[in-house]
């Protein structure tokens, strides 16, 4: 579809369409490896349309990160609980580009690293608070929270990279890996 054939959308719909298109492209190629022309072409819009919605490529990238983080929160909720691994796995399966952008690609982007570190720190703190009831030592609770989140994220990433096999049992398997971390802190 040429940009002249692109249907007219309301401003919010067009912005969402651009973000939905940009997210997997950024996740695959990174900020430096992605041009605005790549995104405009994939979205079926002109660069001028992109600039009507985003001031720069950095602005578009930041908006894609914020959208992905909001979708993660919608999927998992504000509190990380025992069911969070299942919800996070389900969300990653439905939006692998957003998952990869948040937990893989953005951490490699120096200008955006602090935003992702802040997201992870908030998630780790939530897990640590939940673990405080089970793990008496605050240092071990912090260690377990960081490791549980890392194991969960990396297990989901690897699962996605392998083509998301056996989605019916993936979350349970990933949860068992995270539970193994917890059992090592309560011994």
């Amino acid at each position: 579809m040429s940009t002249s054939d692109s249907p007219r959308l309301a401003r919010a719909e067009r912005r969402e369409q651009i973000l939905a298109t940009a997210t997997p492209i950024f996740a695959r190629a990174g900020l430096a490896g992605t041009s605005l022309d790549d995104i405009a072409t994939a979205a079926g819009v002109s660069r001028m349309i992109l600039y009507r919605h985003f001031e720069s490529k950095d602005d578009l990238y930041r908006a894609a990160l914020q959208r992905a983080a909001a979708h993660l929160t919608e999927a998992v909720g504000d509190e990380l609980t025992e069911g969070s691994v299942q919800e996070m796995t389900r969300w990653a399966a439905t939006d692998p580009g957003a998952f990869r952008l948040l937990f893989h690609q953005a951490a490699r982007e120096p200008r955006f690293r602090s935003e992702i570190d802040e997201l992870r720190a908030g998630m780790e703190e939530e897990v640590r608070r939940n673990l405080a009831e089970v793990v008496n030592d605050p240092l071990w609770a912090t260690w377990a929270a960081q490791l549980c989140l890392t194991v969960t994220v990396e297990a989901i990433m690897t699962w996605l990279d392998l083509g998301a096999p056996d989605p019916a049992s993936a979350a349970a398997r990933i949860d068992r890996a995270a539970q193994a971390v917890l059992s090592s802190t309560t011994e």
Side-chain angles (χ1 to χ4, degrees), residues 95-138:
D95 198 352
F99 187 86
R100 285 185 171 104
L101 181 63
L102 281 179
F103 294 109
H104 180 72
Q105 199 57 257
R108 297 176 174 185
E109 304 292 352
R111 292 190 303 264
F112 298 96
R113 178 66 193 247
S114 64
E115 293 173 44
I116 297 311
D117 287 348
E118 186 177 315
L119 172 72
R120 279 188 79 111
M123 294 174 77
E124 288 170 1
E125 178 58 24
E126 182 64 33
V127 173
R128 191 200 59 73
R129 267 196 304 264
N130 290 337
L131 291 178
E133 299 169 9
V134 180
V135 181
N136 295 331
D137 185 320

Side-chain angles (χ1 to χ4, degrees), residues 148-162:
C148 279
L149 183 60
T150 298
V151 166
T152 300
V153 166
E154 292 305 316
I156 292 171
M157 192 74 66
T158 302
W159 175 72
L160 289 172
D161 290 346
L162 293 173

